[in-house]
């Protein structure tokens, strides 16, 4: 039992892996918050896509007027999908990067830039800020993931 | 060679990690099944979005009537996207959680609740069940992932 | 410090894990390229969904004509979403598979088939090729992931 515990905490004892775990949990929680933002707009704007959801706001025919799209709901959904498209590669490539033996300071720089950029991206999308605010924050996160992928491929390359 | 195999199976020998691997494979396979559900509805309802897919059901002009949306197809697609939004955080945070040294019984409780909740969510979405059936099953999965993220951040915190 | 580095590179020293890291980085980078394909079509077709993006091409009222959907943009977006639906299970199940102690040659066969199939799928979607080109490339990737999941469940099963 103790042996198993020791084995299981090996990776989590490594500082780079701990940093990876911290920032990955933060960006995944941030992504999950987009569900609540969408739900908030659906409820306050009374704009639903499923008839069984609209039923909570009026029975039968009178609920059908709530089956509609709303600009704020759609904006939150686009922000959520953009998170999926960008945070999934970060989580996958970031794990391999953390295992490829980078310097802690270099790894922290990557993780912090990505996390900061994605938080800015969310604000830029939801407020919304004029371009190129959202575009630049997207590009920073994208470039950080590319940089980590380069290190992974240089270290691990076996085709 | 033998040394390598030993190393590679270290994690998989750990019981918490084995449980993580089992439940992650199950929920990812469940998510993949949504592709087949969508394909089933597209084929039986003859409702396609790509002209080259509709061509299989009629050549030229006569295929254009199959380029349409269908409520069952759209419902399956929404269920699939909701899986992506919720199963991706579970897989990422769950891996870190499994490596953070939880008790096996606690870990199993988390993995079982999440997996059960997501299977219920799929039935609630596809049948569909009246609310709050789908909402509650979504909330259970969401809360489990938050609970695992809390343990990860408490164990690994390095900002 | 040296001890930590040694620990962190244990997994990356394993040949199956190196192959996993290489192919995962490649398919995730391929998925990320879909963002650039979509951006390319949005800019050349002048078809945007966010008013603040359209503003870059005309101020005020004159920018509203760029708030429209375009078939090439929508096609690239569908290819991107299909990547998410299929590459996420590959990355998650593939990691567990790489840790389940497969033969290197068997693992390479799985990773190469999946990666080749997803690259073909992208070309089949964007060109587009007539069916069943896209359908078959999708099915190959899907089957490879199922095969890896079977090995994971056989090795790790703990419910």
């Amino acid at each position: 039992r103790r042996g198993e515990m020791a084995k299981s905490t090996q990776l989590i004892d490594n500082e780079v892996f701990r940093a990876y775990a911290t920032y990955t949990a933060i960006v995944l929680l941030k992504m999950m918050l987009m569900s609540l933002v969408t739900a908030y707009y659906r409820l306050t704007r009374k704009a639903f896509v499923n008839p069984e959801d609209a039923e909570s706001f009026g029975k039968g025919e009178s609920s059908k007027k709530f089956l509609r799209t709303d600009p704020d709901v759609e904006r939150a959904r686009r922000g959520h999908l953009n998170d999926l498209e960008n945070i999934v590669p970060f989580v996958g490539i970031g794990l391999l990067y953390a295992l490829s033996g980078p310097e802690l300071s270099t790894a922290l720089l990557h993780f912090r830039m990505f996390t900061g950029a994605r938080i800015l991206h969310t604000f830029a999308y939801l407020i919304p800020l004029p371009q190129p605010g959202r575009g630049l924050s997207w590009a920073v996160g994208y470039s950080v993931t590319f940089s980590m992928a380069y290190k992974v491929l240089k270290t691990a390359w076996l085709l």
Side-chain angles (χ1 to χ4, degrees), chain A residues 14-105:
Chain A
N14 175 277
E15 282 191 317
V16 170
F17 195 82
R18 280 177 55 204
Y20 167 75
T22 304
Y23 285 97
T24 289
I26 289 170
V27 290
L28 286 175
L29 288 170
K30 191 225 77 58
M31 185 172 90
M32 288 171 70
L33 283 178
M34 299 306 286
S35 297
L36 298 184
V37 174
T38 302
Y40 169 79
Y41 283 127
R42 283 205 184 282
L43 291 167
T44 55
R45 270 62 170 169
K46 295 196 173 61
F48 302 96
V49 63
N50 294 302
E52 68 269 26
D53 303 352
E55 287 278 333
S56 314
F57 287 85
K59 294 294 155 199
E61 282 305 304
S62 74
S63 77
K64 289 196 181 166
K65 64 174 177 287
F66 303 129
L67 293 177
R68 55 193 189 85
T69 58
D70 172 89
D72 291 327
V73 170
E74 297 308 306
R75 185 173 280 280
R77 293 181 64 224
R78 289 197 298 276
H80 201 166
L81 185 57
N82 195 282
D83 268 356
L84 268 173
E85 291 169 358
N86 289 278
I87 290 176
V88 163
F90 172 81
V91 171
I93 291 172
L95 172 68
L96 305 170
Y97 172 76
L99 298 173
S100 73
E103 285 294 318
L104 177 61
S105 56

